[in-house]
Amino acid sequence: MSRLKKVLYVTAALVVFVTVFILDVIRHAVSFDLDGILFIREGAIIGALFLLYLSIRAAHAEHPVGIPKNIGKLLIYSVLVLFLASLVSFVGRGTTVPEGTMTPPQAALASLVSVVFGVVLGLFSISALLTIKDLLLHKRRKGTKRNFILYVIALLLSSLTVLPLIPSELSVVSSVLFAVAVVMIVVNSFKQNWIVYLSRREKLYSIVYSALLFLTFVGLSLLMTQNPVSRALDTFHLPLRNFAQLNAIFGAVYFGMAFISTLFHLPTAEVYERKQSELTSLHNLSRLVTQVFDFTDLVNTVTAMTLEVVGARSAWLELIREQGINGRVAVDVVSNRNISPEQIELITASDESSLRQYVLDSKRALLIDDIRNDRRTKHITKSGVTVGSLLSVPLISHGEPIGFLHATKDFEFGFDQDDIDVMTTFADHVTIAIENSKLIAKSLERERYQQEMMVAQQMQKRLLPQRLPKHPTLEIAAVSEPSLEVGGDYYDFVQLRGDRLGVVVGDVSGKGVSAAFYMAEVKGIFQSLSKICDSPRELLLRANQSLMESLERKAFISLLYGIIDIPKGILTLARAGHCPMIYISGLNAQMIRPTGIGLGLTHEQIFEETTQETAIQLQKDDLCIFYTDGLNESRNGAGEEFGFERLVQAALGARYLSAEQIKEMILTEIRNHTGDSAYGDDMTLVVIKWLGHGEG
Amino acid sequence: MSEFKIHHRSGEGVSVIDLKGYLDAHTAPELENALQKLIEEKKFNIVVNCKDLSYISSAGLGVFMAYIEDVRKNRGDIKLTNMSPKVYNVFDLLGFPILYEIYKDEQDAIKKFQDARSVQS
């Protein structure tokens, strides 16, 4: 309800009451009878009370407080009202002046008393009814609300039938309705479900409050039946008296019953409180599921909570490592409290069969009430384990056991059915929490891995030439397409003394970050050595020397290095385990494959003995094609490789085009071959077309 | 794509590893484990039969490099046999025939081991 509405309602009600007050003063002083005015007066009061009801209900709903506090508040109100009623009773004692003959001050006082007390009692009755309604409907059952509504209907009807305008013949009806309301009061007063859910402390409060409320309501009921309170009420509004009286009876009966019920419930308070703490622990764990990401924290919290949940002496959590041979399980104790790993081993493992096996076979909780006299734990008697009873529950994820949660107590028969239920439920939560924590760890790892990959990819991209060298006598086209991950393909160009151009293509074994690092190393070596070494073979020998020291044993690098002497048109080539160069001269295609071992595979002597160098005199329009094995090994859906044959044919078919176009043609051919299947490896292609010096 | 499989035989003082399918970065650790195990068991006379090996990548080649030194230090060897021409080509490109003994048939390799032993004794 909006603030404005509330203010409007209360103001309207106040205006009505003030008007009634003025009217009453006049009525007391000057005796006159006018049914019309009386009719309006009664109607206005009912309307005003209804507006007050709406305001109180809204306030009630907007500021909900706990049950004991609510009752406490009602108690304060009731004591105040009782006090006011006593005051009215005291002030109005022995003053019986016939109507219409009062002096103006007398009339004013009487009217004031009747209106103020009437309004206060009305407010209180409404508030009491709402409070009782809340208690009644707490954990309500099917008929609860219906019974309450029946009472309210009887209450309202019985109140309305006593309106002065109603013919007196209906007083029988009124009495019947009153009786019905009283019956409904008794029926409703049996609904005391709220008491069960109170804590022990709250129950103690509730006992005192109920007792006091019972007394004040009884007091109010009695006062209302007697002059001058009854007279003051009657002169204000007859139905209100009926309404307040019934509600006072309701209050007395209801809180009387509440007092007795609470008294009976007091012994069970402890049990209830334990349940409550179990529930709270379970709830806490479910919250932990989303909060504890760290595995160690999680499992330690689990054992700590196990102690709490079932009040155990010791607890430990085991996760299954693997399904061992002969169906025996190997477990890791990931967290233990108040028990040593040696003791755990003593308790759970026996020669013939492990306790875990019992749990695994049944996939249910295992309870051993008396460890010393149970046939499943005979082995324990001999050892010095001071455990009375044991409860073990499996952690089951998707039907598969992933571990066990154990709890022990020092004495026999320490666990009851409730403990089993709670531990089983608890174990379910634990399972989810553990699975979650594993998933999170995995996804974190993947994220980290992806980040590393991204760094490596960027690094790799920057290691490749950002632009190709331009020369009037040759065309160069190059492409390097990394696979999904980071690969180890490398190509580079270097301008050398004497108008010579160095071209290198290489492949670092392995993938990922390490490949990217090796590639960086190779680039460094190549860039520095190429300036010093005059021949490709010399560079490979020196590169092998330095890489042998730094590469890990299973890593190696293949390299194909050529130097084009531009004035002479001679290509000198050396190969270190790399794919041969494809040389196309006219219609003739050749694999240029000087012998040579991959870098980092063997020490200098064998390497030096093996590595050879070859030289080619280039003719106009000759093609030199450097590439990595990712290119010829590109597979289609059927697993068939692109192969050297197709590569050579593609190059031959496009030999009259520009280097750039030849490169594109080869890539197109590869894509046609592989179809939708993604490239398995990264691939690199460098096409050099010798244009010559215009002599052709 | 055929899966990678390792089969293990031993006898006459020689351990034979049969490779099958694709040996690449994903399957290389399996071969690594197999070799590691042989070395731990002090079985240094190793023949790797590549009859059913349909593909080998650089990561696969690297596995042999990782263990050859240990094996040779212990007077053993890793000999490769029964390669298909395609697989041989990959080994050959990289210069492996210079570093490893590669035989057409497994028996040749085993015989070689036995001969070497009789020479020693």
Side-chain angles (χ1 to χ4, degrees):
Chain A
M1 194 189 274
S2 73
R3 217 186 147 77
L4 181 71
K5 229 177 181 178
K6 234 184 284 177
V7 171
L8 260 174
Y9 283 4
V10 174
T11 317
L14 275 178
V15 168
V16 168
F17 293 134
V18 170
T19 316
V20 165
F21 166 67
I22 294 166
L23 189 73
D24 282 4
V25 172
I26 297 167
R27 220 162 44 120
H28 279 303
V30 193
S31 181
F32 71 100
D33 237 354
L34 199 59
D35 275 359
I37 290 178
L38 207 62
F39 182 76
I40 293 166
R41 181 184 176 276
E42 303 296 328
I45 291 175
I46 291 174
L49 284 173
F50 184 70
L51 286 181
L52 285 182
Y53 158 73
L54 289 178
S55 311
I56 294 174
R57 198 184 59 174
H60 218 79
E62 277 166 30
H63 307 287
V65 286
I67 284 177
K69 265 194 186 161
N70 243 340
I71 305 176
K73 235 161 73 180
L74 188 64
L75 179 61
I76 294 171
Y77 296 158
S78 71
V79 169
L80 287 175
V81 172
L82 188 66
F83 175 71
L84 202 63
S86 312
L87 207 68
V88 171
S89 174
F90 183 76
V91 170
R93 212 175 17 161
T95 53
T96 35
V97 185
E99 226 166 89
T101 57
M102 280 184 188
T103 56
Q106 271 180 322
L109 181 68
S111 298
L112 187 68
V113 167
S114 103
V115 172
V116 170
F117 183 64
V119 172
V120 169
L121 191 65
L123 285 172
F124 171 68
S125 291
I126 290 166
S127 176
L129 192 60
L130 284 171
T131 306
I132 292 175
K133 179 189 157 204
D134 280 352
L135 295 177
L136 264 179
L137 298 185
H138 199 270
K139 303 275 174 188
R140 68 180 190 200
R141 298 233 181 79
K142 206 177 167 191
T144 316
K145 189 154 191 180
R146 186 199 59 210
N147 287 345
F148 180 72
I149 290 173
L150 280 177
Y151 164 70
V152 174
I153 291 171
L155 167 74
L156 291 177
L157 285 180
S158 105
S159 300
L160 287 174
T161 46
V162 297
L163 267 171
L165 306 162
I166 304 287
S168 54
E169 292 85 56
L170 275 176
S171 67
V172 183
V173 178
S174 174
S175 303
V176 169
L177 283 167
F178 194 91
V180 169
V182 170
V183 170
M184 287 321 294
I185 283 173
V186 175
V187 170
N188 277 308
S189 294
F190 280 101
K191 289 280 168 266
Q192 306 277 3
N193 287 343
W194 55 279
I195 294 166
V196 184
Y197 300 95
L198 297 181
S199 69
R200 194 183 163 76
R201 215 173 114 88
E202 287 173 330
K203 278 190 178 117
L204 287 174
Y205 274 118
S206 150
I207 284 182
V208 176
Y209 289 169
S210 305
L212 290 175
L213 272 169
F214 170 72
L215 292 176
T216 53
F217 275 115
V218 168
L220 260 179
S221 314
L222 290 177
L223 274 176
M224 265 189 273
T225 55
Q226 284 167 359
N227 266 333
V229 176
S230 69
R231 198 185 52 227
L233 281 174
D234 288 350
T235 44
F236 175 59
H237 192 54
L238 265 174
L240 180 69
R241 183 183 146 202
N242 194 78
F243 182 85
Q245 219 155 21
L246 273 172
N247 276 345
I249 294 171
F250 195 3
V253 174
Y254 191 82
F255 287 107
M257 291 288 272
F259 172 71
I260 295 166
S261 308
T262 321
L263 216 57
F264 280 124
H265 272 110
L266 212 51
T268 64
E270 206 179 327
V271 175
Y272 180 73
E273 238 159 61
R274 217 187 94 188
K275 283 264 163 226
Q276 190 88 34
S277 99
E278 287 168 2
L279 278 174
T280 316
S281 301
L282 277 180
H283 179 70
N284 283 346
L285 189 88
S286 336
R287 273 216 324 253
L288 274 175
V289 169
T290 52
Q291 286 171 356
V292 180
F293 295 142
D294 185 75
F295 184 76
T296 319
D297 282 356
L298 176 70
V299 293
N300 287 335
T301 314
V302 166
T303 43
M305 288 196 141
T306 307
L307 298 183
E308 197 181 308
V309 162
V310 292
R313 172 83 182 91
S314 72
W316 70 98
L317 178 65
E318 296 169 344
L319 294 183
I320 294 176
R321 201 185 313 141
E322 58 188 11
Q323 198 78 33
I325 328 149
N326 312 330
R328 285 194 65 166
V329 287
V331 297
D332 295 312
V333 178
V334 288
S335 176
N336 48 312
R337 296 222 176 231
N338 303 339
I339 190 160
S340 67
E342 293 77 33
Q343 279 185 312
I344 291 172
E345 192 51 38
L346 277 175
I347 292 173
T348 51
S350 74
D351 298 334
E352 305 98 58
S353 64
S354 148
L355 280 183
R356 300 178 189 113
Q357 203 56 50
Y358 287 110
V359 183
L360 278 186
D361 291 344
S362 66
K363 288 196 175 178
R364 282 171 55 193
L366 171 74
L367 172 64
I368 292 181
D369 283 323
D370 183 355
I371 272 193
R372 280 172 202 84
N373 294 307
D374 198 296
R375 66 179 170 76
R376 291 166 294 193
T377 50
K378 271 187 193 141
H379 59 282
I380 294 176
T381 332
K382 296 161 215 148
S383 63
V385 177
T386 56
V387 168
S389 43
L390 170 82
L391 178 57
S392 299
V393 291
L395 306 182
I396 293 175
S397 167
H398 302 291
E400 284 299 312
I402 62 160
F404 307 93
L405 184 59
H406 308 268
T408 70
K409 289 190 184 179
D410 290 345
F411 44 90
E412 290 80 24
F413 295 91
F415 299 97
D416 56 20
Q417 187 57 43
D418 280 350
D419 291 326
I420 298 177
D421 293 344
V422 166
M423 271 272 276
T424 309
T425 315
F426 189 67
D428 289 342
H429 286 273
V430 171
T431 309
I432 296 168
I434 288 174
E435 295 283 288
N436 264 4
S437 129
K438 280 183 186 165
L439 279 178
I440 286 166
K442 226 183 255 177
S443 78
L444 279 180
E445 199 179 305
R446 198 179 312 142
E447 204 170 298
R448 216 165 13 225
Y449 173 76
Q450 278 170 350
Q451 261 169 2
E452 276 179 19
M453 279 300 165
M454 243 168 58
V455 172
Q457 270 173 356
Q458 285 167 356
M459 182 170 138
Q460 196 184 24
K461 235 180 239 168
R462 254 172 307 187
L463 289 174
L464 295 176
Q466 301 304 307
R467 76 178 83 80
L468 301 173
K470 283 200 168 20
H471 214 282
T473 59
L474 49 78
E475 283 176 1
I476 299 177
V479 62
S480 186
E481 288 188 8
S483 61
L484 296 176
E485 293 169 343
V486 179
D489 275 12
Y490 168 63
Y491 74 93
D492 212 348
F493 304 98
V494 64
Q495 192 63 51
L496 301 170
R497 276 177 285 121
D499 200 10
R500 294 178 311 152
L501 179 72
V503 184
V504 70
V505 172
D507 190 353
V508 175
S509 74
K511 284 192 189 313
V513 180
S514 67
F517 273 112
Y518 286 147
M519 190 175 144
E521 192 179 356
V522 170
K523 183 171 174 105
I525 289 175
F526 173 73
Q527 288 284 345
S528 52
L529 285 182
S530 58
K531 305 282 180 355
I532 307 164
C533 306
D534 273 338
S535 81
R537 181 170 177 273
E538 196 190 338
L539 180 135
L540 293 185
L541 295 186
R542 294 235 208 159
N544 182 58
Q545 222 169 337
S546 50
L547 282 170
M548 266 310 273
E549 287 160 20
S550 63
L551 287 185
E552 62 177 317
R553 258 199 260 167
K554 61 179 173 184
F556 53 84
I557 292 158
S558 72
L559 223 58
L560 181 62
Y561 178 36
I563 296 176
I564 303 172
D565 186 319
I566 287 169
K568 293 181 187 155
I570 292 175
L571 166 72
T572 320
L573 195 71
R575 189 183 69 95
H578 198 79
C579 300
M581 186 192 88
I582 296 174
Y583 173 62
I584 291 179
S585 184
L587 275 169
N588 191 17
Q590 262 184 73
M591 293 289 201
I592 308 296
R593 184 179 166 172
T595 56
I597 309 178
L599 301 175
L601 287 176
T602 186
H603 53 86
E604 13 184 335
Q605 199 193 331
I606 296 182
F607 192 88
E608 199 171 344
E609 283 167 10
T610 317
T611 306
Q612 292 174 357
E613 197 174 88
T614 186
I616 298 169
Q617 176 66 57
L618 295 172
Q619 307 296 322
K620 181 173 152 53
D621 292 336
D622 279 358
L623 294 178
C624 300
I625 298 170
F626 297 69
Y627 55 94
T628 55
D629 57 7
L631 194 104
N632 53 294
E633 285 175 4
S634 294
R635 274 191 285 268
N636 63 11
E640 195 188 346
E641 287 182 1
F642 185 64
F644 296 106
E645 193 57 39
R646 287 193 186 86
L647 177 55
V648 169
Q649 287 309 318
L652 268 176
R655 67 183 189 283
Y656 49 85
L657 300 173
S658 73
E660 182 65 29
Q661 286 166 318
I662 294 166
K663 180 199 86 185
E664 285 305 319
M665 282 294 285
I666 292 172
L667 289 181
T668 308
E669 283 296 311
I670 291 172
R671 285 193 191 107
N672 287 343
H673 174 75
T674 56
D676 287 335
S677 61
Y679 299 129
D681 201 354
D682 28 44
M683 55 184 208
T684 298
L685 174 63
V686 176
V687 177
I688 296 172
K689 187 168 190 175
W690 178 252
L691 299 175
H693 299 289
E695 69 271 33
Chain B
M1 207 173 271
S2 59
E3 268 176 40
F4 181 69
K5 275 202 188 89
I6 287 182
H7 184 252
H8 210 161
R9 290 176 282 147
S10 67
E12 303 166 45
V14 179
S15 302
V16 182
I17 294 177
D18 291 309
L19 301 183
K20 186 171 189 243
Y22 282 70
L23 179 56
D24 54 22
H26 298 287
T27 54
E30 284 183 55
L31 179 59
E32 267 175 50
N33 290 340
L35 287 171
Q36 182 73 46
K37 216 168 162 189
L38 286 179
I39 290 170
E40 274 164 18
E41 291 167 5
K42 308 234 173 282
K43 293 175 178 164
F44 300 112
N45 293 347
I46 301 166
V47 171
V48 178
N49 188 324
C50 305
K51 184 165 156 268
D52 296 318
L53 184 68
S54 40
Y55 171 79
I56 184 163
S57 77
S58 58
L61 293 166
V63 177
F64 296 110
M65 295 310 302
Y67 293 100
I68 188 70
E69 216 169 293
D70 282 347
V71 171
R72 286 188 181 155
K73 237 183 252 166
N74 288 288
R75 296 165 170 236
D77 196 15
I78 300 176
K79 300 187 198 298
L80 308 165
T81 72
N82 301 71
M83 285 181 190
S84 70
K86 213 180 80 184
V87 170
Y88 179 80
N89 189 41
V90 177
F91 277 93
D92 189 31
L93 268 182
L94 208 59
F96 264 49
I98 297 162
L99 309 171
Y100 290 85
E101 291 177 31
I102 299 177
Y103 296 93
K104 280 225 164 56
D105 192 76
E106 182 189 309
Q107 285 310 315
D108 298 342
I110 294 174
K111 195 163 175 293
K112 185 84 186 209
F113 272 124
Q114 285 163 346
D115 291 349
R117 229 175 347 184
S118 55
V119 168
Q120 270 170 35
S121 58

